[in-house]
């Protein structure tokens, strides 16, 4: 009797261990992307962006007419994604480019017209300026859209807005979208005020904080799942996840994501310093170290000086061109940001308090960057950084409840 009981117990355990795990999926997400979520990042020896995991998606693209949203960050090792697809016999018929263009050398805000890529002869469709969303004509003849852009994890970095509008256009035209996911270099924390609907713009489209802590594929899942697309349409969405990644890990970008984020110091400082773009303070556009230095002419605080010039990445007359600015070099603050992540409001508050004409410190762009007018009013009312941060808690907690539903990787 005892032997029979042991035999039955072993059979039950073996059956439970070998039964396949069934993952529920929505009508708009295929099983391929979701199945790979179960892969344990801890088993990977290094981080491998989705684009490099060619065995997971190249075969799927065979015999299809493929559109690709890409720029200079869309690499498979050292070869551009588009070149790799073409050399593998995959029929790429059109390329769509975000802010800064296909090769990533256009200035912030610079109009990039439709053109032809000199290397491949492919038509390039610019998704910036007045033409941010692909039209039905733009998508004509496309069987599937592949999206591969390196984001930096800040709400006002416009690649997530491009992602949203591409999702919306694909949903409306019944075209599936495949996101080749990449790590978020600022994906190890969330922080900042949550955007209010009346401040929606291309630098902030959704009710998320300034630092959202999500990869592109995770963000796309959230936009889809929360029905944030126009008329609540949902995209036929799939993704190739990053191998070996989780939100605890720091990731060094192999190529600069845009002209004015030339190194990892600028990437880490960008979420805090971009607020200054809505003020009289220069963030160093037109220098060798943009988004790591702050100052303006006649400033009385700080002992670091710089002189903006017209140069690639800032050829459209950067603020205070050829004028000496005084302020801070913040590159040495990066180690602290990595060890104790969070937005640094102290610099913004200090510069406001020391600016002689308070009514002229902020410009109309500031509230769009903040996603609210509350931050500007809090600074004007002399609230401390701690008091301001306390006012974000409820919004961040509510966002976290939404965010965790769509995570693909182990959270911080």
């Amino acid at each position: 009797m005892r032997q029979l009981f042991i035999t039955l117990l072993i059979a039950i355990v073996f059956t439970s261990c070998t039964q396949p795990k069934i993952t529920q999926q929505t009508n708009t997400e295929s099983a391929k992307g979701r199945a790979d979520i179960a892969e344990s990042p801890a088993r990977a020896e290094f981080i491998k962006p989705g684009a490099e995991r060619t065995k997971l998606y190249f075969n799927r693209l065979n015999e299809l007419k493929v559109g690709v949203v890409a720029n200079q960050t869309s690499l498979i090792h050292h070869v551009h994604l588009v070149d790799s697809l073409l050399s593998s016999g995959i029929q790429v018929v059109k390329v769509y480019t975000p802010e800064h263009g296909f090769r990533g050398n256009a200035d912030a805000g610079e109009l990039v017209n439709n053109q032809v890529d000199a290397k491949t002869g492919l038509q390039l469709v610019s998704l910036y300026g007045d033409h941010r969303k692909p039209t039905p004509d733009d998508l004509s003849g496309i069987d599937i859209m592949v999206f591969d852009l390196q984001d930096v994890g800040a709400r006002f970095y416009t690649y997530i807005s491009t992602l949203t509008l591409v999702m919306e256009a694909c949903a409306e035209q019944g075209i599936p979208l495949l996101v080749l996911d990449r790590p978020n270099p600022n994906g190890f924390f969330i922080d900042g005020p949550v955007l209010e609907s009346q401040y929606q713009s291309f630098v902030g489209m959704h009710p998320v904080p300034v630092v959202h802590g999500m990869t592109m594929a995770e963000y796309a899942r959230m936009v889809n799942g929360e029905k944030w697309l126009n008329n609540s349409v949902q995209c036929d969405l799939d993704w190739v996840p990053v191998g070996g990644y989780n939100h605890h890990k720091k990731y060094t970008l192999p190529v600069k994501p845009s002209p004015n984020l030339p190194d990892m110091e600028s990437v880490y400082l960008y979420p805090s310093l971009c607020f200054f773009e809505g003020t009289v303070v220069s963030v160093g556009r037109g220098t060798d170290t943009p988004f790591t230095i702050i100052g303006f002419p006649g400033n009385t605080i700080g002992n670091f000086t710089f002189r903006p010039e017209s140069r690639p990445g800032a050829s459209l007359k950067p603020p205070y061109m050829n004028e000496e600015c005084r302020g801070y070099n913040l590159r040495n603050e990066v180690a602290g940001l990595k060890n104790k992540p969070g937005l640094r409001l102290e610099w913004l508050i200090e510069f406001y308090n020391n600016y002689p004409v308070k009514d002229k410190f902020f410009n109309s762009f500031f509230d769009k960057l903040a996603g609210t007018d509350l931050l500007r009013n809090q600074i004007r009312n002399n609230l401390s950084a701690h008091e301001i941060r306390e006012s974000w808690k409820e919004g961040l907690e509510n966002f976290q409840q939404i965010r965790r539903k769509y995570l693909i990787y182990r959270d911080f």
Side-chain angles (χ1 to χ4, degrees):
M1 191 69 178
R2 175 183 175 85
Q3 183 62 39
L4 177 61
F5 173 78
I6 293 174
T7 301
L8 288 172
L9 180 62
I10 292 173
I12 291 170
V13 170
F14 177 80
T15 301
S16 66
C17 290
T18 56
Q19 286 297 311
K21 295 181 179 179
I22 300 174
T23 304
Q24 185 179 4
Q25 63 186 69
T26 68
N27 292 332
T28 55
E29 296 172 355
S30 75
K32 180 175 178 292
R34 294 189 61 85
D36 208 65
I37 295 175
E39 178 181 336
S40 172
R43 290 203 299 262
E45 295 180 1
F46 54 87
I47 292 174
K48 193 171 186 179
E52 296 181 8
R53 306 179 76 184
T54 55
K55 292 181 179 179
L56 297 182
Y57 69 98
F58 263 32
N59 287 342
R60 177 178 175 179
L61 301 179
N62 286 334
E63 300 182 6
L64 296 178
K65 294 179 179 178
V66 180
V68 181
V69 181
N71 65 4
Q72 81 287 349
T73 67
S74 310
L75 299 179
I76 297 179
H77 304 295
H78 299 293
V79 180
H80 198 282
L81 169 68
V82 171
D83 297 332
S84 296
L85 292 173
L86 291 172
S87 65
S88 298
I90 293 170
Q91 188 178 1
V92 179
V93 297
K94 202 173 293 186
V95 177
Y96 307 80
T97 66
E99 182 178 8
H100 308 298
F102 184 48
R103 300 300 174 185
N105 54 3
D107 291 353
E110 181 180 348
L111 179 63
V112 180
N113 295 314
N114 293 352
Q115 51 189 290
V116 173
D117 180 47
K119 182 175 182 180
T120 62
L122 291 172
Q123 180 184 352
L124 303 179
V125 178
S126 174
L127 300 180
Y128 195 64
D130 294 330
H131 185 199
R132 292 169 175 167
K133 177 180 174 180
T135 65
D137 285 344
D138 292 334
L139 298 177
S140 177
I142 300 297
D143 296 323
I144 188 171
M145 182 73 80
V146 175
F147 188 102
D148 182 26
L149 299 178
Q150 176 62 64
D151 192 43
V152 300
R155 186 185 64 216
F156 30 59
Y157 202 68
T158 61
Y159 294 169
I160 55 173
S161 298
T162 297
L163 170 64
T164 299
L165 295 177
V166 169
M167 288 177 64
E168 190 171 279
C170 286
E172 292 168 349
Q173 299 303 312
I175 297 172
L177 175 68
L178 179 66
V179 176
L180 307 182
D181 208 13
R182 291 182 177 272
N184 178 355
N186 284 305
F188 50 93
F189 71 107
I190 63 173
D191 205 10
V194 173
L195 180 137
E196 300 169 7
S197 59
Q198 61 267 40
Y199 294 99
Q200 286 181 332
S201 72
F202 196 58
V203 293
M205 300 184 73
H206 307 119
V208 304
V210 170
V211 182
H212 50 72
M214 304 179 82
T215 67
M216 284 293 222
E218 291 174 328
Y219 200 94
R221 296 187 67 211
M222 179 175 64
V223 169
N224 223 27
E226 297 300 305
K227 297 185 177 180
W228 287 342
L229 299 177
N230 190 39
N231 295 321
S232 299
V233 296
Q234 286 186 290
C235 179
D236 182 357
L237 175 67
D238 201 358
W239 60 92
V240 178
V242 183
Y245 174 70
N246 64 60
H247 286 286
H248 288 274
K249 293 189 175 183
K250 309 295 190 299
Y251 178 68
T252 299
L253 301 183
V255 61
K256 61 184 179 182
S258 53
N260 283 290
L261 294 181
D263 51 33
M264 287 308 299
E265 286 82 2
S266 61
V267 169
Y268 287 127
L269 284 162
Y270 175 76
S272 295
L273 296 195
C274 193
F275 286 120
F276 284 104
E277 299 259 74
T279 74
V280 298
V281 179
S282 166
V283 294
R285 290 184 183 272
T287 72
D288 292 330
T289 55
F291 284 102
T292 63
I293 57 179
I294 50 176
F296 60 88
N299 186 21
T300 59
I301 58 174
N303 56 12
F304 180 79
T305 60
F306 58 94
R307 189 181 297 270
E309 302 172 345
S310 178
R311 58 172 64 198
S315 60
L316 303 177
K317 193 176 180 180
Y320 306 123
M321 186 169 71
N322 299 324
E323 297 184 57
E324 184 177 89
C325 299
R326 178 177 294 275
Y328 293 142
N329 182 345
L330 299 171
R331 299 178 72 85
N332 290 333
E333 302 291 333
V334 169
L337 284 171
K338 293 168 67 176
N339 294 326
K340 189 178 179 181
L343 296 178
R344 296 296 192 264
L345 295 175
E346 291 81 2
W347 304 320
L348 185 61
I349 292 171
E350 181 183 10
F351 270 71
Y352 172 79
N353 288 338
N354 283 276
Y355 194 70
V357 186
K358 299 291 189 287
D359 289 343
K360 294 185 178 181
F361 182 79
F362 297 103
N363 61 44
S364 60
F365 193 43
F366 185 85
D367 290 352
K368 287 184 178 181
L369 292 171
T372 175
D373 63 356
L374 182 60
L375 178 57
R376 174 172 51 84
N377 289 326
Q378 287 172 325
I379 294 172
R380 282 180 166 173
N381 291 326
N382 297 316
L383 269 67
S384 68
H386 173 74
E387 290 171 320
I388 295 173
R389 190 178 299 280
E390 285 294 306
S391 73
W392 298 343
K393 277 190 173 182
E394 182 178 356
L396 290 173
E397 289 171 359
N398 292 337
F399 169 71
Q400 183 67 303
Q401 295 297 317
I402 297 172
R403 174 182 174 272
R404 64 167 51 102
K405 293 187 295 183
Y406 303 106
L407 294 181
I408 298 172
Y409 315 99
R410 183 162 57 89
D411 204 8
F412 47 77

